[in-house]
Amino acid sequence: MIIQPTSLAALTWAGAASGSAAPSWRIGSVLLARPLGVNAQGLQVLQIGTLTVEADVAGGQLPAQFQVRVLSLGAQPQLELLAQPTDPVLQRALRERLPQQNGYAPLLATLDALAQRPVLRQLPPELRNALALLEQAMPSPAEVTRGEGLRVAIEHSGLFLESLLARPPGQPAPLLQDDWKGALLRLIALLDRRAPAPATRNTGDTAPPMLQRGLQAQPRASLPPSLLAGDEVEPLLDRLQGDVKAALARVEVAQLESASGPLPAWMIEIPLHGVDGRDVLQLQLEYAIDTGDGSRGWNLGFALDLPALGAVQGELQLREPRLSVRLWAAQADTVQRLERQFGALRQRLAACGLLLDQLSCQHGLPEPPNRYSAVLLQATA
């Protein structure tokens, strides 16, 4: 359940969430909630933590008691309904990292700007080497369009770094610099040695990579003109330090989230070298059991926002040997471009022995698949 207050309650809710009425409301906090009844307007009355709220609930009945996690604050705070009791250690770790995380796009924009500074060659060799290793950890679009290349990109996305390092004796250890998280850790160690990071809170607005929120395409980011002017490298390095910390927190949010579900499921993000810039490929991979016939298989979702195509999302459902493919595109001309590739795609899938049940592309982007959805209309302490 993603809960978003309307503007009618924004000021009251923001005051409560900021701490004046509910000190326990912080990003990542898990609160106990229960329905109290239905009011005369047909709205569900809920008690969440110390607040009583009226909510328009869609998507079925709420449990008699459940937990919600605070995902964001401000004028439009959001809560997520948790399907099962949570591990307190995991929740504490999430609570620490959620306020710090941000999408990869700001980091990639800062790296692009740094690459254009001639004085970059005057940086200490170890820092230049760390930047080069971070570049090396980003695959090309051509690499991720091949099965083996995509497998390697997923393995080195940072999500599995610790499990790779914990391989049994006798197996070759992976190179730390080949992994996105490993390259980020190496770079931030050098940047922190250069100067202490400012004690500021991350203000990024990119939603965290959490399964219940679904996919979200990340367009390229733009830097302030003041950072693009001139040849100075120090302001960009200061910004890079914050961007790397936010990216590391985002990887760790995805790692913690992958450990919280009953079935294998991962939110994976892969930075890519694109045309005149860098892009972010987001994947959602989950093992699925159909409630109807009990069949098992895999669901793969992806989201990508390219300058030439706009935002594109897709969902592939594989129940061998059957495959369903659904695509969405924000721009109408992108829908037409994708549909022109359907003939070649059908031939390639048939050559692999797959039976195509569905292949479609729709204009617009899908709504996030939330099990419950509610809008808070009033919030009082």
Side-chain angles (χ1 to χ4, degrees), residues 111-365:
L111 291 172
D112 279 338
L114 268 172
Q116 299 171 17
R117 292 291 197 272
V119 295
L120 190 65
R121 294 189 295 270
Q122 301 175 13
L123 293 177
E126 57 182 1
L127 184 53
R128 283 188 282 118
N129 184 51
L131 289 168
L133 292 175
L134 190 64
E135 296 268 354
Q136 179 182 317
M138 301 182 214
S140 68
E143 289 173 317
V144 299
T145 55
R146 296 181 292 104
E148 178 61 17
L150 181 59
R151 185 195 66 79
V152 172
I154 290 174
E155 188 177 72
H156 292 168
S157 65
L159 200 63
F160 308 102
L161 174 62
E162 287 78 6
S163 62
L164 291 173
L165 293 175
R167 285 181 172 178
Q171 292 190 12
L175 296 176
L176 190 64
Q177 61 265 27
D178 289 342
D179 185 271
W180 174 248
K181 183 181 179 183
L184 289 173
L185 288 169
R186 181 187 179 94
L187 179 57
I188 197 59
L190 294 173
L191 291 172
D192 284 347
R193 189 189 309 169
R194 165 186 159 269
T200 57
R201 206 174 166 88
N202 177 50
T203 57
D205 56 0
T206 303
M210 308 186 82
L211 294 165
Q212 184 146 348
R213 298 195 64 124
L215 295 161
Q216 182 183 30
Q218 298 177 48
R220 294 182 183 181
S222 300
L223 295 185
S226 59
L227 285 176
L228 297 175
D231 293 328
E232 292 186 14
V233 74
E234 291 300 321
L236 284 174
L237 290 177
D238 290 339
R239 182 184 179 94
L240 179 66
Q241 191 171 13
D243 290 342
V244 172
K245 287 183 180 293
L248 275 169
R250 186 173 182 87
V251 175
E252 291 170 353
V253 167
Q255 289 179 306
L256 294 166
E257 173 75 357
S258 67
S260 63
L263 292 175
W266 302 272
M267 291 290 286
I268 305 158
E269 292 181 321
I270 302 171
L272 300 171
H273 291 289
V275 178
D276 298 325
R278 296 172 177 86
D279 304 291
V280 181
L281 172 63
Q282 188 180 59
L283 302 174
Q284 181 172 339
L285 179 62
E286 57 185 353
Y287 182 69
I289 302 176
D290 290 343
T291 56
D293 57 9
S295 62
R296 300 165 183 251
W298 291 92
N299 295 339
L300 173 66
F302 70 87
L304 187 64
D305 194 324
L306 300 175
L309 297 178
V312 177
Q313 285 188 217
E315 180 184 71
L316 290 76
Q317 295 184 345
L318 177 62
R319 308 291 184 269
E320 288 193 80
R322 316 196 75 86
L323 176 68
S324 294
V325 180
R326 293 190 295 171
L327 303 174
W328 294 265
Q331 299 179 10
D333 58 338
T334 300
V335 174
Q336 298 174 5
R337 293 177 64 178
L338 292 173
E339 288 177 339
R340 286 196 290 269
Q341 304 298 320
F342 279 5
L345 180 57
R346 286 190 178 95
Q347 293 176 4
R348 294 180 64 181
L349 292 174
C352 295
L354 292 173
L355 302 177
L356 192 59
D357 284 341
Q358 179 182 3
L359 177 58
S360 64
C361 187
Q362 301 177 39
H363 182 210
L365 298 178

Side-chain angles (χ1 to χ4, degrees), residues 4-11 13 75-76 375-378:
Q4 292 182 301
T6 66
S7 58
L8 297 176
L11 293 179
W13 185 269
Q76 291 287 316
V375 179
L376 298 184
L377 302 179
Q378 296 180 2

